[in-house]
Amino acid sequence: MRLFRSDELLGIARETMDFVLEACEETHPDEYMGFLRADDARKLDIDRTGQVITDVLVIPGTVSNPVSATVKTSMKPNDVQSVGSVHSHPNGVLRPSDEDLATFGQGDVHIIVGAPYGRGDWRVFDNRGEPTTLDVLDVDLPEEQFFDFTQADIDAELAAEGRRRGVVDPDLDDYDDDGGGFLSWFR
């Protein structure tokens, strides 16, 4: 269930699809596996209600070989932005296997990419395994920073905790031998 968002999936960002194709090719001859995440189209300056696939979430601990990719489901976040999955078939077959169909229950779309991983080497299926379509959209994805904070943000948080930059609580000094403590890497 998505609150305050349209469930209509408008497509996948070209940059995201290019990432998928490159990741599948780099993983070859093993299968690639990831989960698709979507953002509100209005965030991407699209004047329509709906969602656009903008990200691929790769789960730590995923194990793959030439005929399968296995995800540790306990590592998959319960993500309201998740709309489906993507995986590759190194043999080039662009239809879901019985094992694929068993995993299609979560999400609305499932992309299968086949070798040689060119722009036309992929197909989309709904959660029942039926072929469907997915437009590739030319949209500008927002710049996201992995560390979405500044030194001023860190200083303000330390001040709120009664600390100053470079001054470390002695109780946290168990993390290293140089006297810098746990927060010494912030200096």
XYZ file of all heavy atoms in Angstrom, residues 6-12 38 50-53 83 108-109 133-134:
121
model
N 0.350 7.722 -6.364
C -0.357 6.922 -7.345
C 0.400 5.618 -7.544
O 1.621 5.592 -7.535
C -0.435 7.681 -8.670
O -0.855 6.824 -9.695
N -0.342 4.549 -7.733
C 0.287 3.263 -8.008
C 0.706 3.115 -9.461
O 1.412 2.173 -9.795
C -0.675 2.123 -7.659
C -0.746 1.869 -6.164
O 0.180 2.266 -5.446
O -1.728 1.258 -5.729
N 0.256 4.024 -10.327
C 0.573 3.882 -11.744
C 2.077 4.018 -11.966
O 2.700 4.995 -11.571
C -0.163 4.924 -12.576
C 0.123 4.754 -14.054
C -0.541 5.812 -14.915
O -1.161 6.747 -14.380
O -0.415 5.697 -16.137
N 2.637 3.016 -12.594
C 4.058 3.023 -12.915
C 4.221 3.581 -14.327
O 3.765 2.974 -15.292
C 4.618 1.605 -12.802
C 6.119 1.459 -12.809
C 6.767 2.285 -11.703
C 6.497 0.008 -12.631
N 4.858 4.739 -14.432
C 4.998 5.414 -15.715
C 6.163 4.883 -16.546
O 6.132 4.971 -17.761
C 5.177 6.921 -15.498
C 4.069 7.615 -14.707
C 4.409 9.081 -14.506
C 2.733 7.440 -15.405
N 7.183 4.348 -15.883
C 8.327 3.825 -16.616
C 9.553 3.730 -15.739
O 9.491 3.825 -14.519
N 10.699 3.566 -16.402
C 11.990 3.478 -15.736
C 12.886 4.564 -16.323
O 12.868 4.808 -17.538
C 12.623 2.070 -15.910
C 13.935 1.950 -15.120
C 12.792 1.705 -17.365
C 14.487 0.529 -15.046
N 10.944 3.008 -6.863
C 10.367 4.089 -7.655
C 10.170 5.337 -6.810
O 9.973 5.257 -5.593
C 9.033 3.656 -8.249
N 2.005 9.559 -10.817
C 2.509 8.204 -10.973
C 3.913 8.084 -10.418
O 4.406 8.966 -9.716
N 4.542 6.982 -10.762
C 5.877 6.676 -10.261
C 6.812 6.346 -11.413
O 6.379 5.851 -12.455
C 5.823 5.471 -9.336
C 4.942 5.650 -8.129
C 4.923 4.376 -7.332
O 5.895 4.048 -6.657
N 3.843 3.632 -7.428
N 8.094 6.575 -11.158
C 9.140 6.237 -12.123
C 10.200 5.436 -11.376
O 10.638 5.835 -10.289
C 9.762 7.508 -12.742
C 10.918 7.152 -13.661
C 8.710 8.323 -13.487
N 10.618 4.320 -11.955
C 11.700 3.526 -11.363
C 12.989 4.321 -11.506
O 13.381 4.703 -12.611
C 11.826 2.153 -12.046
C 10.552 1.341 -11.825
C 13.055 1.400 -11.506
C 10.476 0.074 -12.658
N 9.008 -1.679 -6.081
C 7.946 -1.960 -7.058
C 8.173 -3.248 -7.832
O 7.361 -3.608 -8.673
C 7.766 -0.784 -8.055
C 7.278 0.458 -7.336
C 9.038 -0.514 -8.825
N 5.107 -5.063 -8.704
C 4.256 -4.990 -9.887
C 4.964 -5.373 -11.170
O 4.330 -5.839 -12.109
C 3.706 -3.571 -10.035
C 2.865 -3.159 -8.830
O 2.194 -4.025 -8.252
O 2.900 -1.966 -8.484
N 6.274 -5.139 -11.243
C 7.016 -5.417 -12.480
C 8.299 -6.166 -12.167
O 8.916 -5.960 -11.118
C 7.356 -4.124 -13.267
C 6.116 -3.432 -13.755
C 8.229 -3.189 -12.474
N 4.564 -3.996 -20.512
C 5.466 -2.996 -21.080
C 5.950 -2.050 -19.990
O 5.312 -1.895 -18.946
C 4.768 -2.175 -22.183
O 3.634 -1.519 -21.615
C 4.347 -3.070 -23.329
N 7.069 -1.416 -20.267
C 7.643 -0.434 -19.362
C 8.416 0.562 -20.217
O 9.379 0.185 -20.889
C 8.576 -1.120 -18.354
C 9.153 -0.264 -17.246
C 8.044 0.231 -16.310
C 10.189 -1.046 -16.455
